[in-house]
Structure formats: structure tokens, C-alpha cells
């Protein structure tokens, strides 16, 4: 049984099925926050998603609801999400919802020199936290060197059709085991930047793309306008949607 039917709860339910669970029931105090396709996936495997259900206690028989009901279970996993403990932050720095109140440069609106990103702003995605962290680092550098903080222009999202999911290594196929969990932390999390896979470099029929090492350990892939014949192979092969074809004549 899983207490909490958000996306993480549905992950837990699917993991339980992958590890041999015979029947998984997920409960929630409110309409489950998980995406419909996640819930449908669990239901298709025979799982139940029950709400509203308010847990009174857990004992060896299962989970007891506040309404006196009992859902029998031999294993209970609590997956009710996490949010940051900001109790050490002065109340006036927080929004009405208790999250850090920041401007477009990730700087606190109440405390200049204090920057906040990620789940302290709003519980979101890993990729949001990484992107905001990279931007905030730049703003902090500007702040410390006495420059003017200017919000970064919001980048256009890469169209989903330009992402080739087939080229990402599938995770957790079949039974889940401990080694999978360890390698999870090493894998590409697809934060929307170039993975340095060099597929474009190798695939370009005109040798128009080159990889340039930058100072500080960075790198850049550059396409030579004069050599490029506009075949679109780089754009098609890139798993991250980095190359966008543009009509220039
Ligand atoms: C169960 C679960 C599943 C998720 N699944 C996904 C997913 O599949 N894909 C996805 O994109 N996102 C997922 N997320 C969301 C994602 O993990 C978060 O949005 C992301 O980790 C937020 O990054 P962060 O740096 O803001 O916070 P965190 O990654 O939480 O890092 C904060 C760090 O600060 C430390 N810390 C806390 N208080 C203090 C303090 N006072 N002093 C010093 N250190 C402190 C914490 O120990 C922690 O290491 C999931 C979250 C949960 C809880
Ligand atoms: S579009 Fe240009 S850069 Fe891309 S693969 Fe074709 S020739 Fe090379
Ligand atoms: S631009 Fe795309 S194909 Fe080229 S190296 Fe980066 S991720 Fe790979």
C-alpha cells in the first residue's frame, strides 16, 4: 500500500509491481496529484487509487482510516512528498504560501544579497533547479562585483518534436535492483543542454560542424555557415534538439 498518490506515489506503486507486488493500493487525502497517464498505468497493472482517505494509524493488519475502515496491507510505503523546511527564514521574506519571495534575478525581494532557487521558490523539477542555480550563480557574481542585476531573457523551449527520446538510455527496464539505483545518480538527466555526444559532428556530411574547447573547461559546437548545405541531418540526429534549422534566404 502506498500513502500518497502523487507522481512519486505512482512511481512507488510501479516500482512495487516491478519488484513482484501482487496488489498495490494507493490512497490520498485529496484528488490525486499524479498525472492521469501515471494513474492509468498503475490501474492497468491492477492497482487501486482511493481518495479521499485519511490515515488514522498503521499496524500489522494494514492501514486504518479515520472513518474506521481498514485496508489490509503487508507493506506500507509513505510517499507524501517533501517540501523545504524554511522555518529558519524570517517570515517577511516568504510569500503567502510560505516560499521564498524572489525577483527575476532569484534575489530575495526583502533581503538584498540573499538568493534562492529550486524547491525553496516552488516545488518543481530537477531541471528547473539546475537552470535557476546556473542563472543565480551568474547574478551572485554580478552582485559581488558591484554590477547591475538584469533578469535573463527567458529562452524559447525546445519543441518536443526535436527531442529524440529513443537515444536516451532506458532506465529501470525489468526488475529494479540496487545497482540500478546507484547508476541512477550518474545518468544524464536531460536538462536541455548539449550532452557532448558528438553525433552531429560525426553525422554532418560536409564536415561543417566543429567542436571548440573553451576556456574554463567548457565546449561549443559550431556550424560553419559557408560549408553547411542545410541538409538538416544534425538537427534530426541531435537527441537534445540543440540544432534548429532556420530559413535564411
Ligand atoms: C519523491 C520525489 C520524486 C521526484 N521526482 C522527480 C523527477 O522524477 N524529476 C524531476 O525533475 N524532479 C523530481 N522531483 C523534484 C526534484 O527532486 C526537486 O525539484 C529538486 O531536487 C529541487 O532541487 P533543490 O536543489 O531546490 O533542492 P534539493 O534537491 O532538495 O536540495 C536541497 C539540499 O539542501 C539541503 N538542506 C536543506 N536544508 C538545509 C540547511 N538549512 N542548510 C544546508 N543544507 C540544507 C538538503 O539536505 C538537500 O541536500 C522529485 C521530488 C521528490 C521528493
Ligand atoms: S545542416 Fe549543415 S551542419 Fe547540419 S549536418 Fe547538414 S551540412 Fe552539416
Ligand atoms: S549538439 Fe546535439 S548531437 Fe551535437 S554533440 Fe550536442 S547533444 Fe550531441
Amino acid at each position: 500500500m502506498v500513502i500518497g498518490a502523487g507522481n512519486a506515489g505512482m512511481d512507488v506503486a510501479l516500482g512495487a509491481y516491478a519488484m513482484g507486488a501482487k496488489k498495490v493500493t494507493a490512497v490520498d487525502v485529496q484528488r490525486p496529484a499524479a498525472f492521469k497517464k501515471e494513474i492509468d498505468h498503475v490501474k492497468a497493472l491492477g492497482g487501486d487509487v482511493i481518495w479521499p482517505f485519511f490515515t488514522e494509524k498503521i499496524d500489522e493488519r494494514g492501514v486504518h482510516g479515520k472513518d474506521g475502515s481498514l485496508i489490509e496491507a503487508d507493506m506500507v510505503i509513505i510517499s507524501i512528498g517533501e517540501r523545504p523546511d524554511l522555518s529558519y527564514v524570517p517570515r517577511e521574506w516568504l510569500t503567502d504560501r510560505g516560499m521564498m519571495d524572489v525577483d527575476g534575478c532569484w534575489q530575495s525581494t526583502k533581503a538584498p544579497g540573499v538568493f534562492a532557487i529550486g524547491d525553496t521558490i516552488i516545488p518543481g523539477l530537477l531541471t528547473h533547479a539546475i537552470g535557476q542555480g546556473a542563472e543565480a550563480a551568474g547574478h551572485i557574481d554580478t552582485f559581488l562585483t558591484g554590477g547591475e542585476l538584469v533578469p535573463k531573457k527567458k529562452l524559447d523551449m525546445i519543441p518536443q518534436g526535436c527531442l529524440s527520446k529513443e537515444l536516451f538510455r532506458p532506465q529501470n527496464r525489468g526488475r529494479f535492483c540496487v545497482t540500478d539505483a546507484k547508476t541512477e545518480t550518474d545518468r544524464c538527466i536531460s536538462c536541455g543542454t548539449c550532452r557532448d555526444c558528438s553525433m552531429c559532428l560525426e553525422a554532418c556530411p560536409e564536415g561543417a560542424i566543429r567542436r571548440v574547447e573553451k576556456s574554463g573547461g567548457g565546449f561549443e559546437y559550431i556550424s560553419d555557415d559557408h560549408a553547411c548545405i542545410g541538409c538538416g541531418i544534425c538537427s534530426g540526429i541531435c537527441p537534445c534538439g540543440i540544432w534548429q534549422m532556420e530559413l535564411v534566404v
Side-chain angles (χ1 to χ4, degrees), residues 150-198:
V150 181
K152 289 257 184 311
K153 185 175 162 284
K154 204 169 179 327
L155 296 175
D156 291 335
M157 213 145 107
I158 292 173
Q160 282 213 337
C162 292
L163 301 175
S164 314
K165 285 190 282 190
E166 299 75 23
L167 298 172
F168 288 85
R169 189 160 53 89
Q171 299 293 320
N172 304 338
R173 286 278 160 82
R175 282 182 66 87
F176 190 81
C177 62
V178 172
T179 45
D180 290 333
K182 286 185 177 158
T183 55
E184 281 277 288
T185 56
D186 294 333
R187 72 181 161 102
C188 168
I189 46 175
S190 181
C191 55
T193 52
C194 170
R195 305 164 71 194
D196 200 16
C197 66
S198 81

Side-chain angles (χ1 to χ4, degrees), residues 11-84:
D11 276 357
V12 171
L14 294 174
Y17 273 119
M19 295 180 77
K22 292 197 174 57
K23 170 82 183 176
V24 181
T25 302
V27 296
D28 206 307
V29 292
Q30 59 182 2
R31 177 187 291 276
F35 298 139
K36 183 176 178 301
K37 64 177 181 188
E38 305 273 356
I39 295 173
D40 289 347
H41 193 169
V42 170
K43 286 186 173 169
L45 293 172
D48 286 332
V49 179
I50 298 173
W51 63 278
F53 182 92
F54 298 91
T55 302
E56 174 69 25
K57 64 172 181 178
I58 302 169
D59 63 17
E60 66 285 347
R61 289 197 292 157
V63 179
H64 298 258
K66 284 195 190 301
D67 59 359
S69 61
L70 165 70
I71 300 179
E72 291 184 1
D74 50 14
M75 179 181 284
V76 179
I77 300 176
I78 299 173
S79 175
I80 53 174
E82 294 181 15
R83 56 182 285 138

